[in-house]
Amino acid sequence: SWKLVLKEKREWVGLDGFIDRMVQAVKIRQGRGEHFEAYHSLAELGRRIAEASTCNLNVELFKKFEKMGGNGPLLSNLLLNLGVQVHYTGTLGCPVHPLFAEFAKKTHAISLGEPGITHAIECQDGKLLLGEMQSLDCVTRESFLQKKPVQAWVEEFSTADVIAFQNWTMLYGMTDILRFIVSECLADIALREQRIWFFDLADPSKRSPSDLGDFLTLLPPLSQRGKVYLALNRSEAKILGDIVGNPCPPFDLGSVHFKEWLCKLTERLSIDKVVFHCCEGAAAVQNKEVACVPALKAKRLRCLSGSGDHFNGGFLCGCLMNFDLQRSLLLGHVSALLYIEEGTTPSCELVQNYFNRLMEELYEK
């Protein structure tokens, strides 16, 4: 079982936490409750909004359910299910919100403040996330150090196989916390074979290029105490390509041009690995080796919000089990697919069985 391998691995994850309200945008209501037709696509909803320019528009949001959210908690949930020991620091509520109660116990969580709230409008062609994020302003270097002194954070990071910072875009204090780690903790963090520093920006389009540039300068020094990985989707890849003067080509994952671009991006960022994923597939580069794996087709759609976090979690677990790039990407796809189809984080048994069946099919081919 993978759990026998992964139970020896330890991961620290931070720094967000959200309450996700999964909603539908009502197009035509035929009666009370669920008697309505929803907007089936963002394109259709977008056209309706555009038509209302200079007029008024009332869009009803119908809440389907509410769940624990945030890039960090969703990533951590998969790691926990696959057997990894997780310590979490983020915005889980003070006191901890009931939606995070069980998660907080499992992860020995430290809460820095109140969670954000996301209204996720999911359609067949994508999702629109409407966030309330004022509470995330509590994530600062000062609040970080109020929870633990410098030496305690050094000890926390010294025992971790993976140190994952999620959702830089929405956490304006993350750069300052990372700067503190680089300047005051890094030299004292114990060397650990195959340690991974993992980052997910979470759509930095609303942050300034100078903000992003400041953050990116803090990544290369971390290689003194591990390998530095950065996860990107389409929009993030385009933004980073422009930032480093390496414009992103068309997203043809198997093309030589795209592979060369991915290698060049990794070099210009001075990090060890870039992991790219989109609805068509995923690619990763390390030491100028590029692997590409096409996406798996979902039989049904239960939940899209959080699928990228489950992909990242599966990929990281593959890395922790010393899988090659291709198998790690495939494990990321499997983890995301099962989450999309079921709407909940899959169990280790479910992920492992599905992955093994796929590997047998690929081997036979």
Side-chain angles (χ1 to χ4, degrees):
S1 172
W2 289 349
K3 280 191 173 182
L4 295 177
V5 178
L6 292 173
K7 73 175 184 178
E8 304 299 326
K9 303 298 182 180
R10 184 177 174 279
E11 181 156 351
W12 178 90
V13 186
L15 288 156
D16 69 348
F18 277 81
I19 296 169
D20 283 351
R21 292 175 180 159
M22 317 310 291
V23 302
Q24 289 178 301
V26 176
K27 180 181 179 182
I28 300 173
R29 180 165 281 288
Q30 293 111 356
R32 297 174 181 173
E34 297 186 33
H35 295 284
F36 64 86
E37 178 187 345
Y39 283 96
H40 295 295
S41 71
L42 291 180
E44 182 184 24
L45 177 59
R47 285 193 298 271
R48 181 69 188 90
I49 293 171
E51 289 167 0
S53 178
T54 73
C55 304
N56 296 322
L57 175 63
N58 184 324
V59 177
E60 177 191 349
L61 299 180
F62 181 84
K63 185 173 76 172
K64 296 190 293 182
F65 60 91
E66 193 171 76
K67 67 181 182 66
M68 179 184 83
N71 297 97
L74 292 175
L75 173 78
S76 300
N77 245 3
L78 181 68
L79 297 169
L80 286 168
N81 281 11
L82 295 183
V84 180
Q85 302 173 51
V86 179
H87 283 210
Y88 196 80
T89 301
T91 53
L92 309 182
C94 297
V96 171
H97 189 281
L99 281 174
F100 292 101
E102 184 180 354
F103 173 78
K105 289 179 182 177
K106 289 180 179 179
T107 60
H108 313 282
I110 295 172
S111 181
L112 300 175
E114 295 301 321
I117 297 174
T118 297
H119 302 272
I121 304 174
E122 296 200 333
C123 297
Q124 293 175 358
D125 63 342
K127 58 192 176 185
L128 175 61
L129 306 180
L130 304 175
E132 299 176 29
M133 289 168 279
Q134 299 95 320
S135 61
L136 303 186
D137 289 343
C138 67
V139 179
T140 63
R141 172 176 172 156
E142 291 71 29
S143 66
F144 200 68
L145 284 170
Q146 281 173 3
K147 298 298 180 179
K148 285 186 179 185
V150 175
Q151 188 53 41
W153 284 117
V154 169
E155 292 170 5
E156 178 79 48
F157 298 136
S158 290
T159 57
D161 296 287
V162 175
I163 301 168
F165 284 87
Q166 305 293 286
N167 206 346
W168 172 81
T169 294
M170 298 180 192
L171 298 166
Y172 276 78
M174 186 185 290
T175 297
D176 204 27
I177 290 172
L178 193 59
R179 187 176 291 112
F180 151 72
I181 291 171
V182 169
S183 62
E184 298 186 41
C185 298
L186 193 61
D188 296 322
I189 294 174
L191 292 169
R192 196 174 184 88
E193 188 178 1
Q194 296 182 327
R195 175 182 289 125
I196 297 169
W197 297 84
F198 185 83
F199 295 89
D200 186 352
L201 299 173
D203 188 11
S205 58
K206 68 179 180 181
R207 296 287 293 268
S208 70
S210 61
D211 274 353
L212 184 52
D214 288 345
F215 169 76
L216 293 174
T217 62
L218 296 170
L219 302 188
L222 297 173
S223 61
Q224 301 170 38
R225 291 295 184 272
K227 296 187 180 300
V228 182
Y229 294 5
L230 181 62
L232 302 175
N233 61 21
R234 282 179 184 271
S235 62
E236 292 156 0
K238 289 179 179 177
I239 291 168
L240 258 70
D242 292 340
I243 285 279
V244 301
N246 182 34
C248 189
F251 291 104
D252 181 0
L253 300 191
S255 72
V256 173
H257 194 194
F258 184 82
K259 291 179 180 180
E260 289 175 347
W261 174 82
L262 207 55
C263 288
K264 192 172 182 180
L265 178 66
T266 308
E267 289 175 6
R268 292 204 175 180
L269 291 171
S270 298
I271 62 176
D272 297 280
K273 187 179 293 187
V274 168
V275 185
F276 172 84
H277 62 90
C278 64
C279 56
E280 287 84 18
V285 58
Q286 184 176 25
N287 299 326
K288 297 187 178 181
E289 175 197 352
V290 181
C292 300
V293 177
L296 303 171
K297 189 171 179 60
K299 296 176 183 176
R300 59 183 176 272
L301 172 60
R302 290 279 172 82
C303 189
L304 277 175
S305 300
S307 57
D309 303 309
H310 283 75
F311 172 87
N312 288 338
F315 178 82
L316 277 173
C317 285
C319 295
L320 289 173
M321 292 187 288
N322 293 317
F323 286 4
D324 59 25
L325 282 182
Q326 191 164 14
R327 287 195 299 160
S328 294
L329 291 170
L330 184 60
L331 180 51
H333 278 320
V334 168
S335 303
L337 176 78
L338 293 173
Y339 172 77
I340 289 169
E341 289 186 342
E342 300 301 325
T344 58
T345 300
S347 68
C348 182
E349 293 72 23
L350 192 60
V351 175
Q352 188 170 353
N353 290 340
Y354 197 109
F355 178 86
N356 287 340
R357 285 199 305 272
L358 275 180
M359 288 300 297
E360 287 176 4
E361 290 173 10
L362 291 172
Y363 182 76
E364 287 174 1
K365 289 180 181 179

